[in-house]
Amino acid sequence: MTATVPAPRGVGEDTATARQILDRCRALVRPALAQAVERLHPWPGEMAAYSFGWCQVGGAPAAGAGGKGVRQALAVLCAEAAGAPGEAAVAGAVAVELVHTFSLLHDDIMDGDPTRRARPTVWKAYGTGPAVLVGDALFALAVETLATVPGARGPVAVRHLAAALGDLVRGQADDLLFEARPWTGPEAVRPDAYRAMAEHKTGALLGCAAALGAALAGAPDETVAALDRAGRHMGVAFQVVDDLLGIWGDPGVTGKPVHGDLRQRKKTFPVLAALNARGLGGPAAGRLATLLESLDTPDDATNRRAAALIEQAGGRSAALDEAHRHIAAVEDCLAGVPLAPRATEELRTLLAFLVGREM
């Protein structure tokens, strides 16, 4: 059975248009991002270029693309929404892309992931120590990029980035600690704790990207704050949808193994919502708790049974409702301040692309 997370009201899921927006923003930011990476020591510089998909191990050019560039696009679009040209946000877009890549490098080490974007991760290709080193280099480069913005906007931008980094580390710490907590009982992870983790781990940098674009464009404080909130809600919606795909997504579309999150026993939102249904989940919630607590390395049949119990206990529908609430909150944030119409519509198209994925 499949389901779709509806896009924001008034906006259809137009993947081609969203990709055009991302391509336009990447083209604007890429030269400055490449110039920033060139300032690194040659060895970390090669690893950084590899992580962006620009080269192979050893430095030979690579034709493959890196990530989607969502954060840099958010920075550019929010500058345009504030009435400035996208160029005003380039320094902020470079900084958030550097920080995002830094976080992925360290995430891959912590999670032991051997591949990313169909290639060996940096720690697998170069070693754990070098991967930590290049992550640190990208972090420092991001701060330097914003610190050199002329005038009063540079220090303001650095403060936004520092706050987001603190939240990101907090969210990552909670996510790691969740792994050791039980499925049930007083120490179990509750949905509210998950929401806070997702806002910090995923939403903070999206909010920072949006806020940096607006701040570097000279937008009023209330506009900067509204766009920061919009990015944070976007991040939680994205994370919840990612959780849904991690259980019920089509591997041919997602690139992830079926029931991958269940196999790894991740405490994702659908599972937590099913376990914390307070009686509304009926017998299915109890059977799910017993099943999760019974095996450390479940087989495929157990994972299928767990997925069915999560759905029966209401975890899937609760996760869809949660994504809808955060999508609506993004709309409220965008509607609450004066923004340029065209850029605002492009922001909505980008949101639809991120969370309107078919499962």
Side-chain angles (χ1 to χ4, degrees):
M1 183 168 63
T2 61
T4 300
V5 180
R9 57 179 178 270
V11 181
E13 185 182 358
D14 189 342
T15 299
T17 301
R19 293 192 184 281
Q20 290 171 3
I21 294 169
L22 291 168
D23 288 345
R24 174 177 72 84
C25 295
R26 268 198 306 267
L28 178 63
V29 175
R30 170 68 183 269
L33 181 60
Q35 288 172 8
V37 171
E38 287 172 2
R39 298 202 299 271
L40 295 173
H41 181 285
W43 189 37
E46 178 192 317
M47 290 185 281
Y50 176 86
S51 69
F52 285 118
W54 302 342
C55 77
Q56 302 170 14
V57 175
K68 294 184 286 292
V70 170
R71 289 150 192 84
Q72 58 185 294
L74 268 179
V76 171
L77 292 177
C78 286
E80 293 174 347
E87 287 80 1
V90 165
V94 168
V96 294
E97 195 65 20
L98 292 169
V99 167
H100 176 55
T101 304
F102 140 75
S103 71
L104 295 181
L105 289 168
H106 287 194
D107 279 356
D108 288 340
I109 294 169
M110 287 184 280
D111 296 341
D113 290 335
T115 60
R116 180 175 290 277
R117 299 167 190 151
R119 298 204 305 170
T121 49
V122 174
W123 74 269
K124 276 300 237 184
Y126 290 90
T128 301
V132 172
L133 176 67
V134 69
D136 293 345
L138 293 175
F139 169 81
L141 190 58
V143 176
E144 177 193 339
T145 298
L146 291 182
T148 56
V149 171
R153 292 176 186 174
V156 171
V158 170
R159 286 196 294 273
H160 278 291
L161 185 66
L165 284 166
D167 281 348
L168 191 155
V169 171
R170 182 185 183 92
Q172 182 66 48
D174 283 339
D175 195 30
L176 289 172
L177 288 170
F178 285 177
E179 295 177 6
R181 290 172 62 177
W183 292 103
T184 59
E187 296 302 316
V189 181
R190 307 298 177 191
D192 283 348
Y194 175 97
R195 291 184 187 98
M197 179 279 295
E199 180 186 335
H200 291 145
K201 181 182 176 182
T202 306
L205 197 56
L206 288 170
C208 178
L212 283 176
L216 292 171
D221 289 347
E222 57 268 26
T223 299
V224 174
L227 291 173
D228 189 341
R229 290 194 302 275
R232 286 173 178 265
H233 284 296
M234 187 183 296
V236 179
F238 173 84
Q239 187 62 61
V240 171
V241 171
D242 206 53
D243 289 350
L244 285 161
L245 294 172
I247 299 176
W248 294 285
D250 179 355
V253 176
T254 66
K256 301 177 180 181
V258 66
H259 300 149
D261 284 353
L262 289 176
R263 185 175 296 107
Q264 297 176 41
R265 284 298 185 253
K266 290 186 176 180
K267 293 181 173 66
T268 59
F269 191 89
V271 179
L272 299 178
L275 291 173
N276 288 273
R278 297 186 179 181
L280 298 178
R287 292 198 298 271
L288 174 63
T290 301
L291 183 64
L292 292 172
E293 291 169 343
S294 64
L295 291 172
D296 291 330
T297 55
D299 56 24
D300 289 343
T302 304
N303 287 329
R304 287 194 296 271
R305 185 181 172 206
L309 289 171
I310 293 165
E311 186 157 10
Q312 291 172 27
R316 183 171 182 164
S317 60
L320 287 167
D321 289 345
E322 183 74 12
H324 295 161
R325 282 193 293 272
H326 287 282
I327 290 168
V330 173
E331 285 285 350
D332 290 343
C333 292
L334 296 180
V337 289
L339 298 171
R342 178 176 177 179
T344 305
E345 286 305 307
E346 290 189 329
L347 283 168
R348 291 190 174 105
T349 300
L350 187 60
L351 174 63
F353 174 70
L354 287 178
V355 303
R357 295 172 285 171
E358 188 173 7
M359 298 183 299

